[in-house]
Amino acid sequence: MQLISEALERTIEELAKLPGMGRKSAQRIAMHLLKKDEGSVLKLAETLVHLKQSTTTCSVCHIVTDRDPCPICGNPKRNTGIVCVVEDIKDVYAIERTNEFKGRYHVLGGVISPMESIGPDQIRIKELVQRVGSGEIEELILALNPDAEGEATSFYIQKLVRPFEIKITRIAQGIPLGSELEFVDEATLSRAFEGRSVV
Amino acid sequence: MQLISEALERTIEELAKLPGMGRKSAQRIAMHLLKKDEGSVLKLAETLVHLKQSTTTCSVCHIVTDRDPCPICGNPKRNTGIVCVVEDIKDVYAIERTNEFKGRYHVLGGVISPMESIGPDQIRIKELVQRVGSGEIEELILALNPDAEGEATSFYIQKLVRPFEIKITRIAQGIPLGSELEFVDEATLSRAFEGRSVV
């Protein structure tokens, strides 16, 4: 294939490195940008640079934010006694969208995974134990993904935090809303039976 | 939902404007960029700016390229007598990947579409007729998409170019390689019968 434009080729290559993006989608976006006016492409480029240069990590919950402490940790209306432990910032976004949780977060930045050689020291478990040790926390809600790594990490945290005698809870596992029983996998269904509640 | 980071939110919004990108994929990419070092994000941003600033349109075939004439029109090894008419630059990329076609291109920049109020004057049909009129072209290969707009545009071009008495061809329509007859749609299958050739 004859190289038609080096600039276009380089853009496609760079875009194809992004997650969830194949060469075809990268090409589609590059062609789209070619058709846009220079102003809006500059705006996109500036936004990306700004993202890296103006964000920091909250020293309390380790979320990525514009200021430290983050708007959640700095919000006096939020309950400082309840802390929700999540794997990633994405999960904070997902939980915030429910408008249900009014406590604070602790972003681990990963889960324990021997397969990817991530041990307890590579994620923010030490910082979590310190927060619990400071005495301000009454309830720790474990909200890690319900997979093998998430379960193992939850278990490990429980073991470390148990001595502080605070309430430790986990978000419910069961059948998702709007699903049909016949299509729910066996593991989820049996977990839903285990976790049944009196009505 | 509480705003956690304005910079992150703006990045997600800008990325979500790109084609084929929903809020979820935009968020995923933004989170990915947050984790990358500043250098590689800067590189991506610079590539995008460079794309707009260093590309131009080939004055012969109207492809987007780094120089005018483009590497295809400027390549003395390519047959100047055969011109393939395509809707978009994407199609040039697709055809070049086959390494089959050794002529030149004419990028229309769209197809006639009354639904989107695109008439013959909004696309580069006038320029195509001028190229044909210059007398250098022996064969015009119509390679527009086989949909209603593509068919109508092909028909319109045929009508305009007919007086110049050059060879006008169309790329074959039929069953795609590797497909199974039972899953090929009726329209394609009947086109394949119409276009059958003696072996």
Side-chain angles (χ1 to χ4, degrees):
Chain A
M1 175 172 166
Q2 180 147 14
L3 183 70
I4 297 165
S5 160
E6 211 182 307
L8 188 55
E9 203 49 48
R10 259 183 53 200
T11 308
I12 295 171
E13 262 171 42
E14 282 297 313
L15 288 172
K17 289 179 190 166
L18 299 175
M21 189 91 80
R23 208 191 132 86
K24 281 247 167 136
S25 350
Q27 189 177 306
R28 191 169 164 209
I29 290 177
M31 302 285 183
H32 167 86
L33 293 176
L34 274 178
K35 285 176 193 156
K36 298 290 276 185
D37 58 305
E38 194 169 328
S40 55
V41 176
L42 274 178
K43 195 176 156 203
L44 172 63
E46 274 164 18
T47 309
L48 298 181
V49 174
H50 181 76
L51 172 70
K52 287 303 286 186
Q53 289 171 346
S54 73
T55 49
T56 178
T57 303
C58 174
S59 57
V60 184
C61 70
H62 307 284
I63 213 175
V64 169
T65 176
D66 303 331
R67 54 179 183 277
D68 182 19
C70 75
I72 294 176
C73 292
N75 184 346
K77 287 189 188 151
R78 301 202 56 140
N79 190 338
T80 54
I82 306 181
V83 168
C84 178
V85 181
V86 292
E87 176 178 338
D88 200 77
I89 313 164
K90 287 199 272 294
D91 305 320
V92 174
Y93 271 77
I95 296 171
E96 282 299 292
R97 272 198 294 275
T98 67
N99 273 320
E100 199 57 54
F101 179 65
K102 295 296 174 210
R104 290 181 178 182
Y105 292 94
H106 188 88
V107 180
L108 290 177
V111 279
I112 298 171
S113 167
M115 295 277 280
E116 295 173 45
S117 40
I118 301 174
D121 297 339
Q122 270 86 53
I123 60 176
R124 298 190 200 94
I125 287 186
K126 202 175 73 241
E127 291 85 343
L128 176 62
V129 175
Q130 275 167 6
R131 279 181 82 178
V132 173
S134 73
E136 213 184 31
I137 299 174
E138 294 148 21
E139 179 178 354
L140 204 64
I141 304 178
L142 299 174
L144 303 180
N145 289 328
D147 51 19
E149 287 86 3
E151 298 283 295
T153 311
S154 289
F155 189 73
Y156 186 85
I157 292 173
Q158 281 173 54
K159 225 179 57 184
L160 286 181
V161 173
R162 193 72 71 198
F164 295 98
E165 291 183 346
I166 60 165
K167 190 172 168 189
I168 307 172
T169 57
R170 293 183 60 179
I171 56 167
Q173 298 181 346
I175 54 167
L177 268 72
S179 64
E180 293 186 47
L181 278 195
E182 64 169 319
F183 300 123
V184 173
D185 66 289
E186 292 81 358
T188 301
L189 204 52
S190 54
R191 196 62 68 94
F193 269 86
E194 275 174 44
R196 68 190 180 278
S197 56
V198 181
V199 288
Chain B
M1 173 172 168
Q2 182 147 14
L3 183 69
I4 297 164
S5 160
E6 211 182 307
L8 187 56
E9 201 51 45
R10 258 183 54 199
T11 308
I12 296 172
E13 261 171 42
E14 282 299 313
L15 288 172
K17 288 180 192 166
L18 299 174
M21 188 91 79
R23 207 191 133 85
K24 282 247 166 138
S25 352
Q27 189 177 306
R28 191 170 164 206
I29 290 176
M31 301 285 183
H32 167 86
L33 294 176
L34 273 178
K35 285 176 194 158
K36 300 289 274 183
D37 59 305
E38 194 169 329
S40 57
V41 177
L42 273 177
K43 195 175 157 203
L44 172 63
E46 272 164 20
T47 310
L48 297 182
V49 174
H50 181 76
L51 172 71
K52 286 304 285 188
Q53 289 172 346
S54 73
T55 50
T56 178
T57 302
C58 173
S59 57
V60 184
C61 71
H62 307 285
I63 213 176
V64 170
T65 176
D66 304 330
R67 53 180 184 276
D68 182 18
C70 73
I72 294 177
C73 293
N75 185 346
K77 287 188 190 150
R78 301 204 54 140
N79 189 337
T80 54
I82 305 181
V83 167
C84 177
V85 180
V86 292
E87 177 179 338
D88 201 77
I89 313 163
K90 288 198 272 296
D91 306 320
V92 174
Y93 271 78
I95 296 169
E96 283 298 292
R97 272 198 295 275
T98 68
N99 274 320
E100 198 58 53
F101 179 65
K102 296 295 175 208
R104 289 182 179 181
Y105 293 93
H106 187 89
V107 180
L108 290 177
V111 280
I112 298 171
S113 168
M115 294 277 280
E116 295 173 44
S117 37
I118 301 175
D121 297 338
Q122 270 86 54
I123 61 176
R124 297 188 201 95
I125 287 186
K126 202 175 73 238
E127 290 86 342
L128 176 63
V129 176
Q130 276 168 5
R131 279 181 82 177
V132 173
S134 74
E136 212 184 32
I137 299 174
E138 294 150 21
E139 179 179 354
L140 205 63
I141 304 177
L142 300 173
L144 302 181
N145 290 327
D147 51 20
E149 287 85 4
E151 299 284 293
T153 310
S154 290
F155 189 74
Y156 186 84
I157 292 172
Q158 281 173 55
K159 226 180 55 184
L160 287 181
V161 173
R162 193 72 69 198
F164 296 98
E165 291 183 350
I166 60 167
K167 190 172 166 189
I168 307 172
T169 57
R170 293 184 60 178
I171 56 168
Q173 299 181 345
I175 53 167
L177 268 72
S179 63
E180 293 186 48
L181 278 195
E182 63 169 319
F183 300 123
V184 172
D185 66 288
E186 292 82 359
T188 301
L189 204 52
S190 55
R191 196 62 67 94
F193 270 86
E194 275 174 43
R196 68 192 181 276
S197 56
V198 180
V199 288

